Amino acid sequence: MGRRSEISLGRLIMQFTIPDIGFVRLAEVLTVIPVGKTCWWEGVKSGRFPKPVKLSRRCTAWRAEDIRELVKRIGSAEMRPDA
């Protein structure tokens, strides 16, 4: 079962679910990590973001576990006063 999270943006509430295991596509990743596609791919190339998995010739996805870990890492960095 995935964990549900909410982000409140004024009156707009966005809800998203990342599965505990499995794969997530880029559109789902970008609902959790608020960056643009170009920024995301630059982060992948530089190693700041996780590497994708090619599921087929035209299908790229990321391991849900890697995205969860990235969210934790970003969250803990935001909590540090020197971040």
Side-chain angles (χ1 to χ4, degrees):
M1 262 296 140
R3 292 183 186 96
R4 175 171 262 182
S5 300
E6 287 187 0
I7 296 176
S8 180
L9 301 173
R11 300 177 102 175
L12 175 66
I13 296 180
M14 296 178 5
Q15 295 180 347
F16 52 86
T17 303
I18 300 175
D20 291 330
I21 58 171
F23 297 99
V24 290
R25 300 288 305 272
L26 183 57
E28 296 166 308
V29 170
L30 297 181
T31 64
V32 180
I33 310 296
V35 298
K37 288 181 184 181
T38 302
C39 181
W40 176 261
W41 283 110
E42 288 172 356
V44 168
K45 186 176 179 180
S46 72
R48 189 174 67 211
F49 298 142
K51 297 286 183 200
V53 175
K54 289 291 280 181
L55 300 178
S56 70
R57 186 171 63 86
R58 295 183 60 190
C59 183
T60 301
W62 284 261
R63 293 180 50 233
E65 300 92 327
D66 293 343
I67 300 304
R68 285 185 172 280
E69 185 60 36
L70 176 62
V71 169
K72 284 182 192 176
R73 192 175 38 169
I74 291 171
S76 65
E78 289 177 356
M79 299 301 287
R80 290 194 326 244
D82 62 338

